PDB file of all heavy atoms in Angstrom:
ATOM      1  N   SER W1513      -6.014 241.000  42.443  1.00 93.00           N
ATOM      2  CA  SER W1513      -5.467 241.916  43.445  1.00 93.00           C
ATOM      3  C   SER W1513      -4.285 241.308  44.184  1.00 93.00           C
ATOM      4  O   SER W1513      -3.254 241.962  44.395  1.00 93.00           O
ATOM      5  CB  SER W1513      -6.561 242.311  44.449  1.00 93.00           C
ATOM      6  OG  SER W1513      -7.576 243.060  43.815  1.00 93.00           O
ATOM      7  N   ILE W1514      -4.415 240.050  44.600  1.00 95.00           N
ATOM      8  CA  ILE W1514      -3.369 239.433  45.403  1.00 95.00           C
ATOM      9  C   ILE W1514      -2.125 239.123  44.560  1.00 95.00           C
ATOM     10  O   ILE W1514      -1.029 238.944  45.081  1.00 95.00           O
ATOM     11  CB  ILE W1514      -3.910 238.158  46.080  1.00 95.00           C
ATOM     12  CG1 ILE W1514      -5.039 238.526  47.050  1.00 95.00           C
ATOM     13  CG2 ILE W1514      -2.837 237.420  46.847  1.00 95.00           C
ATOM     14  CD1 ILE W1514      -4.601 239.413  48.193  1.00 95.00           C
ATOM     15  N   LEU W1515      -2.265 239.099  43.246  1.00 95.00           N
ATOM     16  CA  LEU W1515      -1.114 238.907  42.364  1.00 95.00           C
ATOM     17  C   LEU W1515      -0.278 240.173  42.194  1.00 95.00           C
ATOM     18  O   LEU W1515       0.855 240.102  41.713  1.00 95.00           O
ATOM     19  CB  LEU W1515      -1.585 238.441  40.974  1.00 95.00           C
ATOM     20  CG  LEU W1515      -1.927 236.961  40.817  1.00 95.00           C
ATOM     21  CD1 LEU W1515      -2.659 236.727  39.504  1.00 95.00           C
ATOM     22  CD2 LEU W1515      -0.677 236.100  40.901  1.00 95.00           C
ATOM     23  N   ASP W1516      -0.813 241.324  42.557  1.00 92.00           N
ATOM     24  CA  ASP W1516      -0.135 242.599  42.285  1.00 92.00           C
ATOM     25  C   ASP W1516       0.366 243.217  43.580  1.00 92.00           C
ATOM     26  O   ASP W1516      -0.393 243.854  44.311  1.00 92.00           O
ATOM     27  CB  ASP W1516      -1.104 243.552  41.578  1.00 92.00           C
ATOM     28  CG  ASP W1516      -0.409 244.827  41.100  1.00 92.00           C
ATOM     29  OD1 ASP W1516       0.753 245.046  41.494  1.00 92.00           O
ATOM     30  OD2 ASP W1516      -1.038 245.586  40.351  1.00 92.00           O
ATOM     31  N   PRO W1517       1.656 243.069  43.906  1.00 88.00           N
ATOM     32  CA  PRO W1517       2.176 243.613  45.168  1.00 88.00           C
ATOM     33  C   PRO W1517       2.206 245.134  45.219  1.00 88.00           C
ATOM     34  O   PRO W1517       2.434 245.696  46.291  1.00 88.00           O
ATOM     35  CB  PRO W1517       3.596 243.024  45.244  1.00 88.00           C
ATOM     36  CG  PRO W1517       3.959 242.686  43.844  1.00 88.00           C
ATOM     37  CD  PRO W1517       2.684 242.325  43.147  1.00 88.00           C
ATOM     38  N   SER W1518       1.959 245.801  44.089  1.00 82.00           N
ATOM     39  CA  SER W1518       1.934 247.265  44.116  1.00 82.00           C
ATOM     40  C   SER W1518       0.600 247.807  44.591  1.00 82.00           C
ATOM     41  O   SER W1518       0.488 248.996  44.912  1.00 82.00           O
ATOM     42  CB  SER W1518       2.229 247.823  42.719  1.00 82.00           C
ATOM     43  OG  SER W1518       1.131 247.588  41.832  1.00 82.00           O
ATOM     44  N   LEU W1519      -0.417 246.942  44.652  1.00 78.00           N
ATOM     45  CA  LEU W1519      -1.731 247.389  45.090  1.00 78.00           C
ATOM     46  C   LEU W1519      -1.786 247.503  46.604  1.00 78.00           C
ATOM     47  O   LEU W1519      -1.040 246.826  47.315  1.00 78.00           O
ATOM     48  CB  LEU W1519      -2.813 246.425  44.608  1.00 78.00           C
ATOM     49  CG  LEU W1519      -3.065 246.374  43.101  1.00 78.00           C
ATOM     50  CD1 LEU W1519      -4.127 245.338  42.789  1.00 78.00           C
ATOM     51  CD2 LEU W1519      -3.476 247.736  42.569  1.00 78.00           C
ATOM     52  N   PRO W1520      -2.685 248.352  47.121  1.00 67.00           N
ATOM     53  CA  PRO W1520      -2.795 248.494  48.578  1.00 67.00           C
ATOM     54  C   PRO W1520      -3.049 247.163  49.269  1.00 67.00           C
ATOM     55  O   PRO W1520      -3.919 246.389  48.869  1.00 67.00           O
ATOM     56  CB  PRO W1520      -3.997 249.438  48.734  1.00 67.00           C
ATOM     57  CG  PRO W1520      -4.019 250.237  47.465  1.00 67.00           C
ATOM     58  CD  PRO W1520      -3.558 249.284  46.400  1.00 67.00           C
ATOM     59  N   LEU W1521      -2.227 246.876  50.267  1.00 71.00           N
ATOM     60  CA  LEU W1521      -2.422 245.778  51.212  1.00 71.00           C
ATOM     61  C   LEU W1521      -2.118 244.394  50.661  1.00 71.00           C
ATOM     62  O   LEU W1521      -2.269 243.404  51.375  1.00 71.00           O
ATOM     63  CB  LEU W1521      -3.854 245.788  51.753  1.00 71.00           C
ATOM     64  CG  LEU W1521      -4.349 247.116  52.321  1.00 71.00           C
ATOM     65  CD1 LEU W1521      -5.745 246.945  52.864  1.00 71.00           C
ATOM     66  CD2 LEU W1521      -3.424 247.645  53.385  1.00 71.00           C
ATOM     67  N   THR W1522      -1.657 244.282  49.409  1.00 85.00           N
ATOM     68  CA  THR W1522      -1.520 242.952  48.817  1.00 85.00           C
ATOM     69  C   THR W1522      -0.553 242.057  49.589  1.00 85.00           C
ATOM     70  O   THR W1522      -0.888 240.931  49.968  1.00 85.00           O
ATOM     71  CB  THR W1522      -1.075 243.058  47.350  1.00 85.00           C
ATOM     72  OG1 THR W1522      -2.164 243.541  46.571  1.00 85.00           O
ATOM     73  CG2 THR W1522      -0.652 241.700  46.803  1.00 85.00           C
ATOM     74  N   VAL W1523       0.669 242.522  49.827  1.00 86.00           N
ATOM     75  CA  VAL W1523       1.689 241.641  50.401  1.00 86.00           C
ATOM     76  C   VAL W1523       1.285 241.153  51.784  1.00 86.00           C
ATOM     77  O   VAL W1523       1.455 239.975  52.123  1.00 86.00           O
ATOM     78  CB  VAL W1523       3.057 242.349  50.436  1.00 86.00           C
ATOM     79  CG1 VAL W1523       4.089 241.485  51.153  1.00 86.00           C
ATOM     80  CG2 VAL W1523       3.534 242.655  49.014  1.00 86.00           C
ATOM     81  N   ILE W1524       0.732 242.065  52.600  1.00 86.00           N
ATOM     82  CA  ILE W1524       0.327 241.662  53.941  1.00 86.00           C
ATOM     83  C   ILE W1524      -0.803 240.637  53.901  1.00 86.00           C
ATOM     84  O   ILE W1524      -0.985 239.856  54.839  1.00 86.00           O
ATOM     85  CB  ILE W1524      -0.075 242.902  54.770  1.00 86.00           C
ATOM     86  CG1 ILE W1524      -0.048 242.572  56.262  1.00 86.00           C
ATOM     87  CG2 ILE W1524      -1.432 243.434  54.359  1.00 86.00           C
ATOM     88  CD1 ILE W1524      -0.199 243.773  57.153  1.00 86.00           C
ATOM     89  N   GLU W1525      -1.551 240.604  52.788  1.00 90.00           N
ATOM     90  CA  GLU W1525      -2.660 239.665  52.661  1.00 90.00           C
ATOM     91  C   GLU W1525      -2.205 238.250  52.307  1.00 90.00           C
ATOM     92  O   GLU W1525      -2.998 237.307  52.380  1.00 90.00           O
ATOM     93  CB  GLU W1525      -3.647 240.160  51.593  1.00 90.00           C
ATOM     94  CG  GLU W1525      -4.370 241.447  51.948  1.00 90.00           C
ATOM     95  CD  GLU W1525      -5.383 241.248  53.054  1.00 90.00           C
ATOM     96  OE1 GLU W1525      -5.925 240.141  53.163  1.00 90.00           O
ATOM     97  OE2 GLU W1525      -5.611 242.194  53.812  1.00 90.00           O
ATOM     98  N   TRP W1526      -0.948 238.079  51.919  1.00 93.00           N
ATOM     99  CA  TRP W1526      -0.495 236.746  51.528  1.00 93.00           C
ATOM    100  C   TRP W1526      -0.585 235.755  52.682  1.00 93.00           C
ATOM    101  O   TRP W1526      -0.764 234.549  52.471  1.00 93.00           O
ATOM    102  CB  TRP W1526       0.931 236.822  50.981  1.00 93.00           C
ATOM    103  CG  TRP W1526       0.999 237.411  49.601  1.00 93.00           C
ATOM    104  CD1 TRP W1526      -0.040 237.594  48.738  1.00 93.00           C
ATOM    105  CD2 TRP W1526       2.169 237.881  48.938  1.00 93.00           C
ATOM    106  NE1 TRP W1526       0.399 238.171  47.566  1.00 93.00           N
ATOM    107  CE2 TRP W1526       1.770 238.358  47.655  1.00 93.00           C
ATOM    108  CE3 TRP W1526       3.506 237.964  49.280  1.00 93.00           C
ATOM    109  CZ2 TRP W1526       2.664 238.884  46.740  1.00 93.00           C
ATOM    110  CZ3 TRP W1526       4.409 238.496  48.364  1.00 93.00           C
ATOM    111  CH2 TRP W1526       3.993 238.944  47.106  1.00 93.00           C
ATOM    112  N   ASP W1527      -0.436 236.224  53.927  1.00 92.00           N
ATOM    113  CA  ASP W1527      -0.567 235.317  55.074  1.00 92.00           C
ATOM    114  C   ASP W1527      -1.993 234.818  55.249  1.00 92.00           C
ATOM    115  O   ASP W1527      -2.214 233.772  55.863  1.00 92.00           O
ATOM    116  CB  ASP W1527      -0.126 236.021  56.367  1.00 92.00           C
ATOM    117  CG  ASP W1527       1.384 236.164  56.467  1.00 92.00           C
ATOM    118  OD1 ASP W1527       2.095 235.389  55.814  1.00 92.00           O
ATOM    119  OD2 ASP W1527       1.844 237.061  57.196  1.00 92.00           O
TER     120      ASP W1527
END
Side-chain angles (χ1 to χ4, degrees):
S1513 295
I1514 297 297
L1515 280 167
D1516 188 349
S1518 71
L1519 292 178
L1521 308 182
T1522 288
V1523 175
I1524 199 170
E1525 294 289 330
W1526 285 345
D1527 285 337

